[in-house]
Amino acid sequence: MSDLLETIEETRQKALKAIEQASTPSELEQIRIEFLGTKGRMLELTRSLGTLPKELRPKAGQAANKAQNEITKAHREALVAVKKSEAIANRLDVTLPGRRPAVGHTHLLNQTLTEICQIFEHLGFSIVEGPEVETDYYNFEALNFPADHPSRDMQETLFVGDKLLLRTHTSPVQIRTMEKSPPPVWVVAPGKTYRRDDDVTHSPMFHQVEGLVVDKGITMSDLKGVLSAFAAHFFSPNTKIRLRPSFFPFTEPSAEVDIACVLCGGKGCRLCKSSGWLELLGSGMVDPALYDFVGYDPEKISGFAFGMGVDRAAMLKYGLSNIRHLYEGDLRFLRQF
Ligand code: DAH
């Protein structure tokens, strides 16, 4: 008899201690199964009452009942308390600082494109645009690239059909503009251009800004004046430029325009390969052959044109060594601008 009473007491104490130490609803559920469940210890004890002599059963029965009630009550109370503290822990804390969503900004290339266009707008130019899928006529023929002429090789063209291609430069917009409006013309044409080219300074898709001025009495000194003003605004006020003889089918004479090296200022360094100069764009006086295509009278007007690589201008201005930085979308790079 005293054995069973002792076991009841031990079980009671064990259960109450376990309940006291439990800190989660699942721990309490384990305890409930162990002590109060249908295969639990308390039911086992109640069953073993039957093995006692009749006269001893009431006392042991009472003890078992009392223990069962005590454990049940403690368990219920502990469950309420644990659930309450869990709810407090999970509660929304309105005093925590908020999480700011990342805010994007204009891509460096578009910033550069916009800046270039604004400088020319301040000089009196208007902005025009043309299609990226061009015809052979506008991309080559009307720009004085005869069919089968080797100068077409320079352009690494991506064709999309017979006589249809991705424009290799923004120069076709020169023809489209002159076709549409009589002189005077003072325009810049920004946009995407495409070539079969891919290395650290070339991307198959890149950006150019084309410039075209056709007016009465335009000379090469106008070209130099406009481009000097541009270099001073875009790079720094004292940036020098120089014109180097070159060849383009649509300009005569043609000139490559260099700026004094942005790194060494002209003394010679690694960036400018000790020359002191960096190539910026191609330019020249509009070849009168173009006027025949658009019905302008070369006796009455003259003009100059230039074509600048926007990616290149951004690389020079911000000292980028690899054009891919402009196309990979790496936030560590983009956030710096
Ligand atoms: N279209 C030429 C190119 O992409 C660049 C160029 C050179 C444009 C001279 C011009 C120019 O307007 O006058 O290679």
Side-chain angles (χ1 to χ4, degrees):
M1 160 69 190
S2 67
D3 271 4
L4 188 59
L5 282 177
E6 240 171 54
T7 313
I8 291 171
E9 178 56 17
E10 259 171 33
T11 309
R12 186 187 74 91
Q13 281 180 15
K14 248 193 189 164
L16 292 179
K17 191 163 181 209
I19 288 169
E20 196 185 315
Q21 287 173 349
S23 58
T24 65
S26 69
E27 279 170 31
L28 282 169
E29 179 60 7
Q30 284 307 315
I31 294 168
R32 189 192 65 74
I33 293 165
E34 187 182 339
F35 292 95
L36 304 171
T38 47
K39 288 177 187 157
R41 292 213 213 163
M42 289 313 293
L43 213 64
E44 219 173 81
L45 287 171
T46 314
R47 278 200 197 104
S48 60
L49 287 173
T51 62
L52 289 178
K54 236 186 184 161
E55 63 277 16
L56 299 179
R57 282 184 208 163
K59 194 170 178 207
Q62 269 172 16
N65 260 345
K66 198 169 158 250
Q68 164 99 13
N69 289 341
E70 230 180 287
I71 296 168
T72 308
K73 188 168 171 251
H75 183 271
R76 197 187 317 117
E77 285 170 3
L79 192 62
V80 171
V82 161
K83 282 192 170 159
K84 198 169 165 187
S85 65
E86 243 188 10
I88 289 170
N90 292 337
R91 187 176 60 184
L92 179 69
D93 182 352
V94 293
T95 67
L96 283 174
R99 283 184 210 132
R100 281 175 193 278
V103 179
H105 62 75
T106 312
H107 190 280
L108 177 61
L109 264 176
N110 271 324
Q111 287 179 33
T112 308
L113 204 68
T114 306
E115 189 185 350
I116 293 172
C117 287
Q118 276 173 356
I119 293 171
F120 285 109
E121 278 183 295
H122 284 137
L123 291 170
F125 286 71
S126 318
I127 312 275
V128 292
E129 283 181 317
E132 287 170 34
V133 176
E134 259 302 2
T135 60
D136 178 277
Y137 177 78
Y138 286 108
N139 197 82
F140 292 124
E141 205 179 322
L143 285 167
N144 204 30
F145 287 81
D148 303 324
H149 193 276
S151 58
R152 289 192 179 203
D153 285 355
M154 284 160 39
Q155 301 271 335
E156 304 287 356
T157 312
L158 291 158
F159 288 91
V160 294
D162 186 33
K163 303 246 172 207
L164 210 56
L165 45 85
L166 296 178
R167 67 178 177 189
T168 59
H169 49 181
T170 42
S171 302
V173 189
Q174 290 189 30
I175 304 297
R176 289 181 175 275
T177 306
M178 290 192 282
E179 267 182 353
K180 265 186 238 144
S181 40
V185 166
W186 289 73
V187 294
V188 281
K192 291 190 172 74
T193 45
Y194 303 83
R195 281 186 207 185
R196 212 156 26 82
D197 242 354
D198 198 5
D199 58 38
V200 288
T201 53
H202 295 90
S203 155
M205 191 269 287
F206 57 107
H207 300 77
Q208 287 190 341
V209 171
E210 190 77 13
L212 175 69
V213 171
V214 184
D215 207 337
K216 282 193 187 124
I218 295 294
T219 67
M220 203 127 184
S221 57
D222 296 308
L223 166 67
K224 190 165 184 186
V226 163
L227 293 178
S228 300
F230 168 78
H233 280 93
F234 185 73
F235 294 103
S236 62
N238 297 320
T239 307
K240 283 203 169 60
I241 67 164
R242 75 170 181 187
L243 273 63
R244 225 171 354 98
S246 186
F247 170 80
F248 299 102
F250 38 91
T251 43
E252 182 58 37
S254 304
E256 210 94 49
V257 176
D258 300 336
I259 55 164
C261 179
V262 288
L263 200 61
C264 64
K267 287 190 204 82
C269 69
R270 197 171 31 87
L271 181 64
C272 59
K273 299 198 181 83
S274 306
S275 71
W277 297 96
L278 298 167
E279 190 184 314
L280 179 64
L281 53 83
S283 68
M285 300 306 290
V286 178
D287 192 311
L290 269 59
Y291 298 139
D292 286 343
F293 285 98
V294 298
Y296 278 15
D297 183 353
E299 298 300 322
K300 294 195 178 136
I301 44 86
S302 55
F304 69 79
F306 58 87
M308 179 177 357
V310 178
D311 311 66
R312 185 169 172 78
M315 288 174 78
L316 292 179
K317 180 162 174 166
Y318 299 103
L320 314 180
S321 56
N322 194 328
I323 195 169
R324 291 195 178 83
H325 289 313
L326 296 172
Y327 292 101
E328 278 173 347
D330 187 333
L331 290 178
R332 291 168 303 177
F333 170 78
L334 295 175
R335 285 198 179 116
Q336 297 175 50
F337 304 96

